[in-house]
Amino acid sequence: MARKKINHAAHIKSHTQGSSNEISFSVLDAAREARDAAERDRRGGASSAGGVSLFTLGAGKKPRATPEKEQHIVLPGSAPRNTGRSAAPRHSSAPAVLRDRTPLRFVPTVVGVCVVIALVLTVGQTVFQMRAHQSDLRSVLAEQIAVINQADEVVIPFDELVVKQYGDQHFAKATSMGDSSMLDQLSDSYRALVGDIAPVYGSLQDAVAAIEEVQPSLSDNDDKEAARQALAAAQARMNMFDTGISIVDEALMATEAYEAARSGWKDIIDADADAREATAALEEMTEDTVRASTEKTNTALTLLNHAADQFDTAQGSYPGLDLSLFSTYVAKRIEAQQAALSADAAYLDRDKELLAQENERYNILEDEAASLAQQLEEDPDVIVAAFYDAAIAQNVEFYEAERLKAGNADTFLRNYLGSDAQ
C-alpha cells in the first residue's frame, strides 16, 4: 500500500496549477532541477582536466559556501586525501598532528644540549690536562731549585775561603813568623774543597739545562719568574766557582811570594845586625876581634844568601811580580860582606896592602848598598800584597756582583717555595 502511495504521488499531473500541491511540487521540481544541474556541473568539472577554479565562477551563479567532499581544496605541497574513505572530523585530526610534531621540536634542543655537554667535557679535560702538565713542570722546577740549594754545601765554604783572600785581614797571619805557614793553611783548605767543586759544578749545569727546557712551557707568571731566578741563582754560583778559583789560584801564588819576600826581608834585617856587630868588633883590631868579626860576617853572609834565594822564589812563584830592586840590594850587601871577609883574612895574614884594598872595596860596596836601600820605599811583602790586590781587583768586583745576584735570587726562591708550599 505504501509503495502504491509513493508511486501514485510521483504521477501527479503538472496542470494542477494554483493549488498548494502545485506550489509544493513546483518548488520541489525547481529544487530537483537545480540539484540535477549542480550534479552535472560537478561531474563535468571532476572529469575534465584544467576545469575552472571555484574562485573564478561567473557572477550569475552563487558559489557554495562549503565545498563538497569531492571538491576540497588541495594546498600546495600537501598530499591529496584518500577519497575512498570518509574524512575524519576536522577537530579530531588536530591532536594527532600535535602528537606527531612535538618530538621534532625537541630534537634541536637535545642536540644542542649534547653539543654543549661535549664541549664542556672537552674543555674540562683540556683544562685538567693543562693543569696537570703545569703541575709536572712546577715539580721539575722545584727539583732543580733543590739541586741548587744542595750545591750550597760546597758553595758556602768555598765562598768563605774566597772572601778571606781579598779581605783586609788576608795576610794578617803573616805578621807573626811563629804562626804556621799561610800557604800551607790555604793549600789545605783549598785541597779539602777542590774535589767537590767539579761534581757540584756539573749538577748546576744539569739544573740549568733542565730549567731552560721547562721554562718556555710555564704559563703562570710566578712560575716563569721563579724559573728565571733559579737560572740566575745557578749561573751565579757557577760564576762564583769560576771567578773564585781564579782568585784562589792568584792567592796561592801571592801567598807563596808574600811569605818568601817577607822571609827574605827578615834575613836582610838580621844580616844587617850581624854585619854591624862584625864592624863594631874591629874597633880594636886584634886577632881575636878579627876572628869574632869574621864569624859575624859569615853569619850575615849566610842570611844574605838566603834572602837572595827567597827573593828569587818570590818572583819565580808569582809571574809579573818585580822584586829586582831587593835582589840588587842583597847582591850588593853580599859583595860587601865578601870584601869584609877578605879584609879580615888579609889582617890575619899580615897583608897590609890587601887589607887596605879590601877595606876600601868594602866601604864602597856598603855605600852603594845604602844608596839602593834609599830606593826601597816599601817592604817587599807590602809590594807583593799591593801587586796581588791589583791583580785580583777585577775578579773581586765580578765575584761580589755574582754573590749579590745569588743572594737576591735565593731570597725570591725562598718566598716562592714558601708560597708554593701553601
Side-chain angles (χ1 to χ4, degrees):
M1 180 66 67
R3 183 176 181 179
K4 286 182 177 181
K5 288 182 178 179
I6 295 172
N7 290 334
H8 179 70
H11 289 83
I12 298 176
K13 294 182 179 181
S14 60
H15 62 268
T16 56
Q17 299 178 359
S19 64
S20 61
N21 284 336
E22 285 180 325
I23 296 172
S24 298
F25 289 147
S26 295
V27 173
L28 292 173
D29 289 337
R32 182 171 59 251
E33 288 176 2
R35 183 194 63 188
D36 292 339
E39 182 66 21
R40 285 193 301 271
D41 293 338
R42 182 189 62 78
R43 290 179 179 177
S47 61
S48 300
V52 181
S53 171
L54 291 175
F55 299 102
T56 59
L57 292 175
K61 291 185 181 281
K62 184 178 181 180
R64 291 184 292 274
T66 304
E68 298 292 338
K69 60 183 179 180
E70 294 84 356
Q71 294 174 322
H72 62 277
I73 299 174
V74 180
L75 297 176
S78 62
R81 299 175 186 174
N82 187 354
T83 59
R85 309 176 81 180
S86 298
R90 184 168 183 150
H91 66 274
S92 64
S93 64
V97 173
L98 291 175
R99 283 196 303 273
D100 293 340
R101 293 182 179 179
T102 298
L104 296 178
R105 290 201 305 268
F106 284 111
V107 168
T109 302
V110 173
V111 172
V113 171
C114 292
V115 170
V116 171
I117 293 175
L119 288 174
V120 170
L121 291 176
T122 301
V123 172
Q125 184 178 11
T126 302
V127 171
F128 175 79
Q129 290 176 347
M130 291 177 61
R131 288 181 176 178
H133 182 56
Q134 289 297 312
S135 179
D136 292 340
L137 295 178
R138 282 194 296 271
S139 297
V140 173
L141 178 59
E143 290 173 0
Q144 302 314 312
I145 293 175
V147 171
I148 296 172
N149 183 61
Q150 187 176 3
D152 285 348
E153 295 180 1
V154 176
V155 172
I156 291 176
F158 177 79
D159 177 66
E160 293 175 351
L161 177 64
V162 173
V163 171
K164 288 179 180 179
Q165 306 316 308
Y166 59 83
D168 293 338
Q169 302 299 317
H170 171 54
F171 293 116
K173 285 186 175 297
T175 56
S176 174
M177 299 307 297
D179 292 342
S180 60
S181 170
M182 286 178 56
L183 179 62
D184 292 341
Q185 293 181 19
L186 177 57
S187 298
D188 292 343
S189 299
Y190 185 49
R191 193 179 298 112
L193 292 172
V194 69
D196 297 327
I197 292 176
V200 170
Y201 195 97
S203 68
L204 289 172
Q205 287 179 316
D206 293 340
V208 168
I211 295 171
E212 288 178 340
E213 183 176 356
V214 303
Q215 186 182 24
S217 300
L218 293 170
S219 59
D220 184 79
N221 289 334
D222 287 342
D223 296 337
K224 290 181 179 179
E225 182 62 19
R228 192 182 72 84
Q229 293 291 345
L231 288 175
Q235 190 61 58
R237 283 164 170 78
M238 288 190 290
N239 291 340
M240 287 172 65
F241 276 133
D242 291 335
T243 310
I245 288 173
S246 297
I247 293 175
V248 173
D249 287 341
E250 193 86 16
L252 287 169
M253 295 185 295
T255 301
E256 182 176 5
Y258 182 91
E259 291 190 338
R262 188 176 181 82
S263 175
W265 186 243
K266 182 178 182 299
D267 288 337
I268 289 175
I269 294 174
D270 292 342
D272 184 70
D274 288 331
R276 290 177 181 277
E277 290 182 6
T279 302
L282 295 178
E283 289 182 0
E284 183 180 351
M285 294 188 66
T286 64
E287 186 174 341
D288 292 337
T289 57
V290 169
R291 293 185 184 279
S293 175
T294 299
E295 184 178 354
K296 287 293 181 178
T297 301
N298 281 325
T299 302
L301 188 59
T302 300
L303 291 171
L304 290 172
N305 283 324
H306 185 264
D309 292 341
Q310 291 293 87
F311 290 131
D312 289 343
T313 298
Q315 292 188 115
S317 63
Y318 199 0
L321 176 66
D322 183 13
L323 296 178
S324 58
L325 188 58
F326 291 90
S327 297
T328 301
Y329 171 76
V330 170
K332 190 67 65 174
R333 293 298 301 272
I334 289 174
E335 192 176 358
Q337 298 307 309
Q338 290 174 340
L341 289 176
S342 296
D344 290 344
Y347 176 83
L348 293 175
D349 292 339
R350 300 291 189 266
D351 189 342
K352 293 182 179 181
E353 183 178 353
L354 181 59
L355 174 61
Q357 181 180 345
E358 290 301 318
N359 275 335
E360 183 179 1
R361 187 169 74 91
Y362 169 80
N363 291 328
I364 293 173
L365 291 173
E366 281 293 324
D367 289 340
E368 292 177 355
S371 296
L372 291 172
Q374 296 296 323
Q375 302 177 34
L376 304 177
E377 297 179 356
E378 299 286 351
D379 292 352
D381 53 344
V382 175
I383 294 176
V384 173
F387 181 80
Y388 168 70
D389 290 339
I392 66 170
Q394 187 173 357
N395 281 337
V396 169
E397 182 178 358
F398 181 78
Y399 186 85
E400 282 294 322
E402 295 305 305
R403 290 181 80 227
L404 182 61
K405 290 179 183 178
N408 291 338
D410 290 352
T411 299
F412 178 90
L413 293 176
R414 280 193 295 269
N415 294 333
Y416 169 79
L417 292 177
S419 60
D420 188 60
Q422 294 174 359

